[in-house]
Amino acid sequence: MQITATGYTIYFEEGRFSLLKAFLSEQVFSSIFILCDTNTKKECLPIFLKKIPKLKNTAIITIPAGEKHKNLHSVEMIWGFLTQHQADKQSLLLSLGGGVVSDIGGFAAATYKRGMSVVHIPTTLLAMADASVGGKNGINFKTYKNHIGTITQPLAVFIYKPFLKTLPPRELKNGFAEILKAALIADASLCKKIYAEKKASYTSHIVRAVSIKNAIVQSDLLEHHARKVLNVGHTVGHAIESYFMYKKKYLLHGEAVAIGICVELCLGKNKGITQAKTAMDAVLWIKKQYTLLRFSKKEIECLIELMQQDKKNKGGRYCFSLLKKTGQALIDIPATDSEIRNAFLLYNNIAHG
Amino acid sequence: MQITATGYTIYFEEGRFSLLKAFLSEQVFSSIFILCDTNTKKECLPIFLKKIPKLKNTAIITIPAGEKHKNLHSVEMIWGFLTQHQADKQSLLLSLGGGVVSDIGGFAAATYKRGMSVVHIPTTLLAMADASVGGKNGINFKTYKNHIGTITQPLAVFIYKPFLKTLPPRELKNGFAEILKAALIADASLCKKIYAEKKASYTSHIVRAVSIKNAIVQSDLLEHHARKVLNVGHTVGHAIESYFMYKKKYLLHGEAVAIGICVELCLGKNKGITQAKTAMDAVLWIKKQYTLLRFSKKEIECLIELMQQDKKNKGGRYCFSLLKKTGQALIDIPATDSEIRNAFLLYNNIAHG
């Protein structure tokens, strides 16, 4: 099973990593490096190397796990390691990890000697369904999410679902937020299916989510227009994630995006853009699955402040991607501070009303 | 006068910056930033702002001048400034300076919020004839030249020759090395003309050098094959530049490349690749114009060590771009440590024999 993307292929492995093995034997690389974080080194690397014994003497680069370490310091560490081990432009970096690993690894590879190849092997649901598709990479800068990066496509992506067994339930829910988002912006029937499931089946819709994202990315590789629909829930979501990044209450990306979707649905509803039923169906379902935090007035002002650095903004004006109805989103919707404030207040009411 | 490049245009200004003025009035940017170094802020910015009064309230980002500051620290400073001043993806960075400024500015812009626009206004001969064309950007990392960077094309380049009047003679000679290289790899008649000039005319051949480089870049934007001819003189040149970067004897890029051309001509001649007359004509001309340093055995070993990080290398093997004859170069020529050592010894003899 495979999905063709722009200039590369997303492969779904069936158990023995035969697709990756074939890929590696067809290509000539002057050297190969595996990038892990401290979690995937322990949980996934032994499985991976057992499946592909040929790679067992490959140099391993390990970065500390977690969003907190998605910074320039980790990238410098990777550049230093590659330099020391004489990686060249014909070398390959295999990123084995979640979205943080593929984002950092993708950025390090895109900029090392002006570009070496990277192949992503996502190990979390979030990375499988979202982060490893589309070529966006990046790191956080100061308190801003993915503020520095490039859009550079990988050489290939290999998705191996059994890695999901290494994850705690919280991580599956984390990734599912992006699957729900994909359904909300482009597939009303998938939404209906998700809402109807008695017990949420977090790992069933990966292929569909990848297909949706891939089709959107292919229509607008560099995010000049259509691709922005993928940002539904993310303007608010990224601000929330940034806000809590250095706090005790540490939120995962998907947990922040789930809340972001709810707040942005409230914004869309208030502005008369989002159908009331669309907003209500989604928020009620999310409320059952995720912890919807309540935000104080002070917190709301901080979040609005953080949104001023959102990458979609134009000339100091917020630009949202908002749902019109289930399965369809609109882009470049401006909003004022006061509209965003009111959206948070409506969200607070619905979430805790 | 203008030259069409891939996705952008290189304009030659006639005096009043009318082409840049027209360009700025046709495009919509949410904000504009001017990047200078401490030299161009003093020497060029006042001239520039006098010509384009519309830009006189533009925010100025100033980085310290010199190759020593072509590092991540300067890039972080620019990212920080852009963030603080709420630059977004629709903002424009105008780089006003030599190759160091356009390389750093190009990299900062290519990675800020995953890419904002950059326009280069080269102020040195080196930048006009070479650095501002082709989209290569980058910074030095540890002791390695341009080790980190991307290939990202600018939105436009504006060449205004009167800026050359602000330069000391050493800077003109510095830039001329790249013009000579362009002639050597692609234009035998320009070479003949240069060799025949009684007094070298450093600033006469800018348009021709830009045309040569642009034609080569267009045939191979991402440097997979043909573009590598532009690296003639640079494998050795970069190593020399890196070696002296932190020493008292500080060499400019073109000064190092002039020596690099001579050493690589010796290498090519020894290997039976470069015609003897081609090598002799070029080395003798360069010897009249540039200071050809003599290298000790220890220095030669250090330089060979530095070449191990050259970006053209494949699987630990040096890959040179060498002249076949005047006006024609070959790429991907392997060489051994011992061949490089012998080339340096021949160079030492010719330069100081």
Side-chain angles (χ1 to χ4, degrees), chain A residues 30 83 86 88-89 111 113-114 136-137 147-149 308-309 311 315, chain B residues 30 83 86 88-89 111 113-114 136-137 147-149 308-309 311 315:
Chain A
S30 52
T83 305
Q86 306 210 349
D88 60 36
K89 287 172 74 74
T111 52
K113 296 195 175 187
R114 295 203 188 94
K136 279 193 184 178
N137 61 48
H147 200 66
I148 302 302
Q308 286 173 5
Q309 287 293 342
K311 289 187 281 297
Chain B
S30 52
T83 305
Q86 307 211 349
D88 60 37
K89 286 170 75 72
T111 51
K113 295 196 175 186
R114 296 204 187 94
K136 279 192 182 178
N137 62 47
H147 201 66
I148 301 302
Q308 287 175 4
Q309 287 294 341
K311 290 186 280 297

PDB file of all heavy atoms in Angstrom, chain A residues 30 83 86 88-89 111 113-114 136-137 147-149 308-309 311 315, chain B residues 30 83 86 88-89 111 113-114 136-137 147-149 308-309 311 315:
ATOM      1  N   SER A  30      26.019   7.568   0.503  1.00  0.00           N
ATOM      2  CA  SER A  30      27.412   7.429   0.926  1.00  0.00           C
ATOM      3  C   SER A  30      27.500   7.062   2.409  1.00  0.00           C
ATOM      4  O   SER A  30      28.489   6.470   2.842  1.00  0.00           O
ATOM      5  CB  SER A  30      28.201   8.698   0.612  1.00  0.00           C
ATOM      6  OG  SER A  30      27.553   9.814   1.119  1.00  0.00           O
ATOM      7  N   THR A  83      28.718  16.459  10.877  1.00  0.00           N
ATOM      8  CA  THR A  83      30.021  16.983  10.454  1.00  0.00           C
ATOM      9  C   THR A  83      31.142  16.071  10.932  1.00  0.00           C
ATOM     10  O   THR A  83      32.019  15.674  10.171  1.00  0.00           O
ATOM     11  CB  THR A  83      30.232  18.400  11.034  1.00  0.00           C
ATOM     12  OG1 THR A  83      29.133  19.216  10.649  1.00  0.00           O
ATOM     13  CG2 THR A  83      31.527  19.025  10.525  1.00  0.00           C
ATOM     14  N   GLN A  86      31.488  13.031   9.037  1.00  0.00           N
ATOM     15  CA  GLN A  86      31.709  13.268   7.612  1.00  0.00           C
ATOM     16  C   GLN A  86      30.524  12.912   6.725  1.00  0.00           C
ATOM     17  O   GLN A  86      30.684  12.339   5.639  1.00  0.00           O
ATOM     18  CB  GLN A  86      32.964  12.526   7.161  1.00  0.00           C
ATOM     19  CG  GLN A  86      34.148  12.892   8.034  1.00  0.00           C
ATOM     20  CD  GLN A  86      35.463  12.820   7.302  1.00  0.00           C
ATOM     21  OE1 GLN A  86      35.545  12.316   6.209  1.00  0.00           O
ATOM     22  NE2 GLN A  86      36.498  13.378   7.900  1.00  0.00           N
ATOM     23  N   ASP A  88      27.907  13.627   3.972  1.00  0.00           N
ATOM     24  CA  ASP A  88      27.967  14.532   2.826  1.00  0.00           C
ATOM     25  C   ASP A  88      26.587  14.648   2.192  1.00  0.00           C
ATOM     26  O   ASP A  88      25.594  14.148   2.745  1.00  0.00           O
ATOM     27  CB  ASP A  88      29.053  14.098   1.833  1.00  0.00           C
ATOM     28  CG  ASP A  88      28.820  12.704   1.275  1.00  0.00           C
ATOM     29  OD1 ASP A  88      27.645  12.338   1.050  1.00  0.00           O
ATOM     30  OD2 ASP A  88      29.800  11.978   1.062  1.00  0.00           O
ATOM     31  N   LYS A  89      26.515  15.306   1.053  1.00  0.00           N
ATOM     32  CA  LYS A  89      25.211  15.562   0.438  1.00  0.00           C
ATOM     33  C   LYS A  89      24.556  14.286  -0.111  1.00  0.00           C
ATOM     34  O   LYS A  89      23.387  14.287  -0.446  1.00  0.00           O
ATOM     35  CB  LYS A  89      25.358  16.604  -0.679  1.00  0.00           C
ATOM     36  CG  LYS A  89      25.594  18.023  -0.149  1.00  0.00           C
ATOM     37  CD  LYS A  89      25.932  18.993  -1.247  1.00  0.00           C
ATOM     38  CE  LYS A  89      24.733  19.354  -2.084  1.00  0.00           C
ATOM     39  NZ  LYS A  89      23.792  20.273  -1.415  1.00  0.00           N
ATOM     40  N   THR A 111      19.161  21.864   5.776  1.00  0.00           N
ATOM     41  CA  THR A 111      20.131  22.958   5.861  1.00  0.00           C
ATOM     42  C   THR A 111      21.581  22.478   5.947  1.00  0.00           C
ATOM     43  O   THR A 111      22.492  23.286   5.806  1.00  0.00           O
ATOM     44  CB  THR A 111      19.820  23.832   7.100  1.00  0.00           C
ATOM     45  OG1 THR A 111      19.716  22.970   8.243  1.00  0.00           O
ATOM     46  CG2 THR A 111      18.529  24.604   6.922  1.00  0.00           C
ATOM     47  N   LYS A 113      24.905  21.311   4.707  1.00  0.00           N
ATOM     48  CA  LYS A 113      25.557  21.398   3.387  1.00  0.00           C
ATOM     49  C   LYS A 113      24.551  21.770   2.286  1.00  0.00           C
ATOM     50  O   LYS A 113      24.620  21.259   1.188  1.00  0.00           O
ATOM     51  CB  LYS A 113      26.298  20.091   3.063  1.00  0.00           C
ATOM     52  CG  LYS A 113      27.449  19.819   4.045  1.00  0.00           C
ATOM     53  CD  LYS A 113      28.419  18.759   3.543  1.00  0.00           C
ATOM     54  CE  LYS A 113      29.600  18.633   4.516  1.00  0.00           C
ATOM     55  NZ  LYS A 113      30.655  17.766   4.032  1.00  0.00           N
ATOM     56  N   ARG A 114      23.622  22.618   2.630  1.00  0.00           N
ATOM     57  CA  ARG A 114      22.547  23.079   1.734  1.00  0.00           C
ATOM     58  C   ARG A 114      21.613  21.957   1.279  1.00  0.00           C
ATOM     59  O   ARG A 114      21.001  22.044   0.215  1.00  0.00           O
ATOM     60  CB  ARG A 114      23.115  23.813   0.525  1.00  0.00           C
ATOM     61  CG  ARG A 114      23.827  25.115   0.875  1.00  0.00           C
ATOM     62  CD  ARG A 114      23.880  26.080  -0.279  1.00  0.00           C
ATOM     63  NE  ARG A 114      24.723  27.223   0.041  1.00  0.00           N
ATOM     64  CZ  ARG A 114      26.025  27.303  -0.271  1.00  0.00           C
ATOM     65  NH1 ARG A 114      26.602  26.314  -0.909  1.00  0.00           N
ATOM     66  NH2 ARG A 114      26.707  28.376   0.045  1.00  0.00           N
ATOM     67  N   LYS A 136       6.785  20.089   5.734  1.00  0.00           N
ATOM     68  CA  LYS A 136       7.070  21.167   6.689  1.00  0.00           C
ATOM     69  C   LYS A 136       8.017  20.651   7.752  1.00  0.00           C
ATOM     70  O   LYS A 136       7.818  19.581   8.313  1.00  0.00           O
ATOM     71  CB  LYS A 136       5.773  21.630   7.372  1.00  0.00           C
ATOM     72  CG  LYS A 136       4.961  22.598   6.543  1.00  0.00           C
ATOM     73  CD  LYS A 136       3.884  23.241   7.412  1.00  0.00           C
ATOM     74  CE  LYS A 136       2.992  24.145   6.602  1.00  0.00           C
ATOM     75  NZ  LYS A 136       1.925  24.742   7.425  1.00  0.00           N
ATOM     76  N   ASN A 137       9.049  21.411   8.046  1.00  0.00           N
ATOM     77  CA  ASN A 137       9.904  21.063   9.169  1.00  0.00           C
ATOM     78  C   ASN A 137      10.072  22.312  10.010  1.00  0.00           C
ATOM     79  O   ASN A 137       9.567  23.378   9.654  1.00  0.00           O
ATOM     80  CB  ASN A 137      11.254  20.518   8.673  1.00  0.00           C
ATOM     81  CG  ASN A 137      12.010  21.536   7.841  1.00  0.00           C
ATOM     82  OD1 ASN A 137      12.152  22.690   8.238  1.00  0.00           O
ATOM     83  ND2 ASN A 137      12.500  21.121   6.683  1.00  0.00           N
ATOM     84  N   HIS A 147       8.651  28.417  14.478  1.00  0.00           N
ATOM     85  CA  HIS A 147       8.866  29.772  13.978  1.00  0.00           C
ATOM     86  C   HIS A 147       9.959  29.780  12.909  1.00  0.00           C
ATOM     87  O   HIS A 147       9.972  30.627  12.019  1.00  0.00           O
ATOM     88  CB  HIS A 147       9.281  30.641  15.169  1.00  0.00           C
ATOM     89  CG  HIS A 147       9.090  32.103  14.983  1.00  0.00           C
ATOM     90  ND1 HIS A 147       7.854  32.687  14.845  1.00  0.00           N
ATOM     91  CD2 HIS A 147       9.985  33.129  14.900  1.00  0.00           C
ATOM     92  CE1 HIS A 147       7.998  33.996  14.703  1.00  0.00           C
ATOM     93  NE2 HIS A 147       9.287  34.283  14.715  1.00  0.00           N
ATOM     94  N   ILE A 148      10.885  28.838  13.003  1.00  0.00           N
ATOM     95  CA  ILE A 148      12.009  28.737  12.066  1.00  0.00           C
ATOM     96  C   ILE A 148      11.949  27.374  11.384  1.00  0.00           C
ATOM     97  O   ILE A 148      11.795  26.355  12.059  1.00  0.00           O
ATOM     98  CB  ILE A 148      13.355  28.876  12.834  1.00  0.00           C
ATOM     99  CG1 ILE A 148      13.414  30.215  13.592  1.00  0.00           C
ATOM    100  CG2 ILE A 148      14.554  28.700  11.908  1.00  0.00           C
ATOM    101  CD1 ILE A 148      13.263  31.451  12.731  1.00  0.00           C
ATOM    102  N   GLY A 149      12.054  27.362  10.074  1.00  0.00           N
ATOM    103  CA  GLY A 149      12.019  26.081   9.365  1.00  0.00           C
ATOM    104  C   GLY A 149      11.967  26.284   7.870  1.00  0.00           C
ATOM    105  O   GLY A 149      12.145  27.401   7.374  1.00  0.00           O
ATOM    106  N   GLN A 308      -0.218  36.894  17.684  1.00  0.00           N
ATOM    107  CA  GLN A 308       0.320  37.943  16.807  1.00  0.00           C
ATOM    108  C   GLN A 308       1.502  37.459  15.983  1.00  0.00           C
ATOM    109  O   GLN A 308       1.889  38.089  15.004  1.00  0.00           O
ATOM    110  CB  GLN A 308       0.720  39.174  17.638  1.00  0.00           C
ATOM    111  CG  GLN A 308      -0.497  39.947  18.099  1.00  0.00           C
ATOM    112  CD  GLN A 308      -0.145  41.073  19.049  1.00  0.00           C
ATOM    113  OE1 GLN A 308       1.019  41.340  19.287  1.00  0.00           O
ATOM    114  NE2 GLN A 308      -1.160  41.724  19.586  1.00  0.00           N
ATOM    115  N   GLN A 309       2.103  36.327  16.389  1.00  0.00           N
ATOM    116  CA  GLN A 309       3.225  35.780  15.612  1.00  0.00           C
ATOM    117  C   GLN A 309       2.789  34.624  14.724  1.00  0.00           C
ATOM    118  O   GLN A 309       3.625  33.932  14.150  1.00  0.00           O
ATOM    119  CB  GLN A 309       4.354  35.331  16.548  1.00  0.00           C
ATOM    120  CG  GLN A 309       5.123  36.462  17.181  1.00  0.00           C
ATOM    121  CD  GLN A 309       5.926  37.261  16.163  1.00  0.00           C
ATOM    122  OE1 GLN A 309       6.184  36.820  15.061  1.00  0.00           O
ATOM    123  NE2 GLN A 309       6.293  38.479  16.528  1.00  0.00           N
ATOM    124  N   LYS A 311       1.971  32.376  11.729  1.00  0.00           N
ATOM    125  CA  LYS A 311       2.599  32.474  10.406  1.00  0.00           C
ATOM    126  C   LYS A 311       1.621  32.847   9.298  1.00  0.00           C
ATOM    127  O   LYS A 311       2.030  33.237   8.217  1.00  0.00           O
ATOM    128  CB  LYS A 311       3.317  31.159  10.085  1.00  0.00           C
ATOM    129  CG  LYS A 311       4.582  30.955  10.928  1.00  0.00           C
ATOM    130  CD  LYS A 311       5.387  29.757  10.521  1.00  0.00           C
ATOM    131  CE  LYS A 311       4.816  28.461  11.042  1.00  0.00           C
ATOM    132  NZ  LYS A 311       4.784  28.333  12.507  1.00  0.00           N
ATOM    133  N   GLY A 315       0.391  41.522   7.603  1.00  0.00           N
ATOM    134  CA  GLY A 315       0.416  42.930   7.973  1.00  0.00           C
ATOM    135  C   GLY A 315      -0.208  43.210   9.325  1.00  0.00           C
ATOM    136  O   GLY A 315      -0.955  44.177   9.483  1.00  0.00           O
TER     137      GLY A 315
ATOM    138  N   SER B  30       3.837  43.405   3.496  1.00  0.00           N
ATOM    139  CA  SER B  30       3.212  43.888   4.732  1.00  0.00           C
ATOM    140  C   SER B  30       4.197  44.740   5.530  1.00  0.00           C
ATOM    141  O   SER B  30       3.773  45.589   6.310  1.00  0.00           O
ATOM    142  CB  SER B  30       2.668  42.726   5.552  1.00  0.00           C
ATOM    143  OG  SER B  30       3.647  41.753   5.738  1.00  0.00           O
ATOM    144  N   THR B  83      11.150  38.959  14.466  1.00  0.00           N
ATOM    145  CA  THR B  83      10.067  38.529  15.357  1.00  0.00           C
ATOM    146  C   THR B  83       9.549  39.709  16.170  1.00  0.00           C
ATOM    147  O   THR B  83       8.340  39.953  16.241  1.00  0.00           O
ATOM    148  CB  THR B  83      10.577  37.423  16.314  1.00  0.00           C
ATOM    149  OG1 THR B  83      11.134  36.368  15.541  1.00  0.00           O
ATOM    150  CG2 THR B  83       9.447  36.885  17.182  1.00  0.00           C
ATOM    151  N   GLN B  86       7.459  41.976  14.329  1.00  0.00           N
ATOM    152  CA  GLN B  86       6.295  41.317  13.738  1.00  0.00           C
ATOM    153  C   GLN B  86       6.361  41.183  12.225  1.00  0.00           C
ATOM    154  O   GLN B  86       5.346  41.372  11.534  1.00  0.00           O
ATOM    155  CB  GLN B  86       5.022  42.047  14.168  1.00  0.00           C
ATOM    156  CG  GLN B  86       4.967  42.179  15.687  1.00  0.00           C
ATOM    157  CD  GLN B  86       3.561  42.183  16.229  1.00  0.00           C
ATOM    158  OE1 GLN B  86       2.603  42.281  15.476  1.00  0.00           O
ATOM    159  NE2 GLN B  86       3.430  42.023  17.515  1.00  0.00           N
ATOM    160  N   ASP B  88       6.114  39.199   8.907  1.00  0.00           N
ATOM    161  CA  ASP B  88       5.369  37.993   8.579  1.00  0.00           C
ATOM    162  C   ASP B  88       5.817  37.469   7.219  1.00  0.00           C
ATOM    163  O   ASP B  88       6.783  37.962   6.644  1.00  0.00           O
ATOM    164  CB  ASP B  88       3.853  38.233   8.661  1.00  0.00           C
ATOM    165  CG  ASP B  88       3.368  39.311   7.704  1.00  0.00           C
ATOM    166  OD1 ASP B  88       3.908  39.393   6.583  1.00  0.00           O
ATOM    167  OD2 ASP B  88       2.452  40.066   8.073  1.00  0.00           O
ATOM    168  N   LYS B  89       5.108  36.458   6.729  1.00  0.00           N
ATOM    169  CA  LYS B  89       5.542  35.821   5.479  1.00  0.00           C
ATOM    170  C   LYS B  89       5.364  36.736   4.259  1.00  0.00           C
ATOM    171  O   LYS B  89       5.875  36.442   3.180  1.00  0.00           O
ATOM    172  CB  LYS B  89       4.777  34.504   5.267  1.00  0.00           C
ATOM    173  CG  LYS B  89       5.249  33.386   6.200  1.00  0.00           C
ATOM    174  CD  LYS B  89       4.346  32.184   6.143  1.00  0.00           C
ATOM    175  CE  LYS B  89       4.537  31.371   4.888  1.00  0.00           C
ATOM    176  NZ  LYS B  89       5.798  30.606   4.855  1.00  0.00           N
ATOM    177  N   THR B 111      14.405  30.773   6.166  1.00  0.00           N
ATOM    178  CA  THR B 111      14.005  29.928   7.287  1.00  0.00           C
ATOM    179  C   THR B 111      13.051  30.630   8.262  1.00  0.00           C
ATOM    180  O   THR B 111      12.466  29.976   9.122  1.00  0.00           O
ATOM    181  CB  THR B 111      15.260  29.475   8.068  1.00  0.00           C
ATOM    182  OG1 THR B 111      16.052  30.638   8.366  1.00  0.00           O
ATOM    183  CG2 THR B 111      16.087  28.502   7.256  1.00  0.00           C
ATOM    184  N   LYS B 113       9.793  31.836   9.614  1.00  0.00           N
ATOM    185  CA  LYS B 113       8.400  31.422   9.363  1.00  0.00           C
ATOM    186  C   LYS B 113       8.294  30.560   8.105  1.00  0.00           C
ATOM    187  O   LYS B 113       7.338  30.680   7.342  1.00  0.00           O
ATOM    188  CB  LYS B 113       7.482  32.651   9.286  1.00  0.00           C
ATOM    189  CG  LYS B 113       7.408  33.407  10.630  1.00  0.00           C
ATOM    190  CD  LYS B 113       6.240  34.373  10.704  1.00  0.00           C
ATOM    191  CE  LYS B 113       6.176  34.969  12.107  1.00  0.00           C
ATOM    192  NZ  LYS B 113       4.990  35.807  12.327  1.00  0.00           N
ATOM    193  N   ARG B 114       9.281  29.745   7.891  1.00  0.00           N
ATOM    194  CA  ARG B 114       9.389  28.844   6.726  1.00  0.00           C
ATOM    195  C   ARG B 114       9.461  29.588   5.397  1.00  0.00           C
ATOM    196  O   ARG B 114       9.077  29.082   4.359  1.00  0.00           O
ATOM    197  CB  ARG B 114       8.233  27.847   6.684  1.00  0.00           C
ATOM    198  CG  ARG B 114       8.224  26.891   7.858  1.00  0.00           C
ATOM    199  CD  ARG B 114       7.492  25.596   7.520  1.00  0.00           C
ATOM    200  NE  ARG B 114       7.366  24.768   8.708  1.00  0.00           N
ATOM    201  CZ  ARG B 114       6.305  24.782   9.510  1.00  0.00           C
ATOM    202  NH1 ARG B 114       5.281  25.561   9.239  1.00  0.00           N
ATOM    203  NH2 ARG B 114       6.272  24.005  10.572  1.00  0.00           N
ATOM    204  N   LYS B 136      22.163  30.509  -3.651  1.00  0.00           N
ATOM    205  CA  LYS B 136      22.850  29.850  -2.530  1.00  0.00           C
ATOM    206  C   LYS B 136      22.951  30.830  -1.371  1.00  0.00           C
ATOM    207  O   LYS B 136      23.335  31.984  -1.547  1.00  0.00           O
ATOM    208  CB  LYS B 136      24.266  29.440  -2.931  1.00  0.00           C
ATOM    209  CG  LYS B 136      24.338  28.145  -3.710  1.00  0.00           C
ATOM    210  CD  LYS B 136      25.785  27.685  -3.794  1.00  0.00           C
ATOM    211  CE  LYS B 136      25.903  26.419  -4.604  1.00  0.00           C
ATOM    212  NZ  LYS B 136      27.306  25.983  -4.734  1.00  0.00           N
ATOM    213  N   ASN B 137      22.621  30.382  -0.189  1.00  0.00           N
ATOM    214  CA  ASN B 137      22.836  31.206   0.997  1.00  0.00           C
ATOM    215  C   ASN B 137      23.550  30.347   2.027  1.00  0.00           C
ATOM    216  O   ASN B 137      23.783  29.166   1.777  1.00  0.00           O
ATOM    217  CB  ASN B 137      21.500  31.757   1.527  1.00  0.00           C
ATOM    218  CG  ASN B 137      20.558  30.645   1.945  1.00  0.00           C
ATOM    219  OD1 ASN B 137      20.938  29.717   2.647  1.00  0.00           O
ATOM    220  ND2 ASN B 137      19.305  30.729   1.498  1.00  0.00           N
ATOM    221  N   HIS B 147      28.719  25.913   5.574  1.00  0.00           N
ATOM    222  CA  HIS B 147      28.419  24.517   5.893  1.00  0.00           C
ATOM    223  C   HIS B 147      26.909  24.320   6.080  1.00  0.00           C
ATOM    224  O   HIS B 147      26.374  23.239   5.852  1.00  0.00           O
ATOM    225  CB  HIS B 147      29.164  24.166   7.184  1.00  0.00           C
ATOM    226  CG  HIS B 147      29.384  22.712   7.408  1.00  0.00           C
ATOM    227  ND1 HIS B 147      30.187  21.944   6.601  1.00  0.00           N
ATOM    228  CD2 HIS B 147      28.906  21.862   8.363  1.00  0.00           C
ATOM    229  CE1 HIS B 147      30.202  20.695   7.053  1.00  0.00           C
ATOM    230  NE2 HIS B 147      29.430  20.626   8.116  1.00  0.00           N
ATOM    231  N   ILE B 148      26.238  25.382   6.519  1.00  0.00           N
ATOM    232  CA  ILE B 148      24.799  25.331   6.777  1.00  0.00           C
ATOM    233  C   ILE B 148      24.118  26.366   5.879  1.00  0.00           C
ATOM    234  O   ILE B 148      24.560  27.517   5.829  1.00  0.00           O
ATOM    235  CB  ILE B 148      24.519  25.666   8.265  1.00  0.00           C
ATOM    236  CG1 ILE B 148      25.246  24.681   9.203  1.00  0.00           C
ATOM    237  CG2 ILE B 148      23.012  25.713   8.563  1.00  0.00           C
ATOM    238  CD1 ILE B 148      24.895  23.226   9.002  1.00  0.00           C
ATOM    239  N   GLY B 149      23.078  25.972   5.188  1.00  0.00           N
ATOM    240  CA  GLY B 149      22.390  26.924   4.315  1.00  0.00           C
ATOM    241  C   GLY B 149      21.335  26.235   3.482  1.00  0.00           C
ATOM    242  O   GLY B 149      21.013  25.059   3.712  1.00  0.00           O
ATOM    243  N   GLN B 308      38.204  17.670   3.622  1.00  0.00           N
ATOM    244  CA  GLN B 308      37.361  16.488   3.860  1.00  0.00           C
ATOM    245  C   GLN B 308      35.898  16.857   4.090  1.00  0.00           C
ATOM    246  O   GLN B 308      35.013  16.014   4.010  1.00  0.00           O
ATOM    247  CB  GLN B 308      37.899  15.688   5.049  1.00  0.00           C
ATOM    248  CG  GLN B 308      39.175  14.942   4.669  1.00  0.00           C
ATOM    249  CD  GLN B 308      39.812  14.243   5.841  1.00  0.00           C
ATOM    250  OE1 GLN B 308      39.261  14.243   6.944  1.00  0.00           O
ATOM    251  NE2 GLN B 308      40.967  13.656   5.616  1.00  0.00           N
ATOM    252  N   GLN B 309      35.648  18.132   4.404  1.00  0.00           N
ATOM    253  CA  GLN B 309      34.255  18.563   4.599  1.00  0.00           C
ATOM    254  C   GLN B 309      33.706  19.285   3.375  1.00  0.00           C
ATOM    255  O   GLN B 309      32.642  19.878   3.440  1.00  0.00           O
ATOM    256  CB  GLN B 309      34.152  19.469   5.831  1.00  0.00           C
ATOM    257  CG  GLN B 309      34.296  18.745   7.154  1.00  0.00           C
ATOM    258  CD  GLN B 309      33.162  17.776   7.432  1.00  0.00           C
ATOM    259  OE1 GLN B 309      32.090  17.867   6.845  1.00  0.00           O
ATOM    260  NE2 GLN B 309      33.396  16.834   8.320  1.00  0.00           N
ATOM    261  N   LYS B 311      31.657  20.265   0.270  1.00  0.00           N
ATOM    262  CA  LYS B 311      30.286  19.835  -0.005  1.00  0.00           C
ATOM    263  C   LYS B 311      30.147  18.970  -1.254  1.00  0.00           C
ATOM    264  O   LYS B 311      29.146  18.326  -1.452  1.00  0.00           O
ATOM    265  CB  LYS B 311      29.368  21.061  -0.083  1.00  0.00           C
ATOM    266  CG  LYS B 311      29.161  21.734   1.276  1.00  0.00           C
ATOM    267  CD  LYS B 311      28.143  22.852   1.237  1.00  0.00           C
ATOM    268  CE  LYS B 311      28.713  24.132   0.693  1.00  0.00           C
ATOM    269  NZ  LYS B 311      29.813  24.734   1.499  1.00  0.00           N
ATOM    270  N   GLY B 315      31.039  10.119  -0.292  1.00  0.00           N
ATOM    271  CA  GLY B 315      31.529   8.936   0.419  1.00  0.00           C
ATOM    272  C   GLY B 315      32.982   9.049   0.822  1.00  0.00           C
ATOM    273  O   GLY B 315      33.750   8.101   0.667  1.00  0.00           O
TER     274      GLY B 315
END
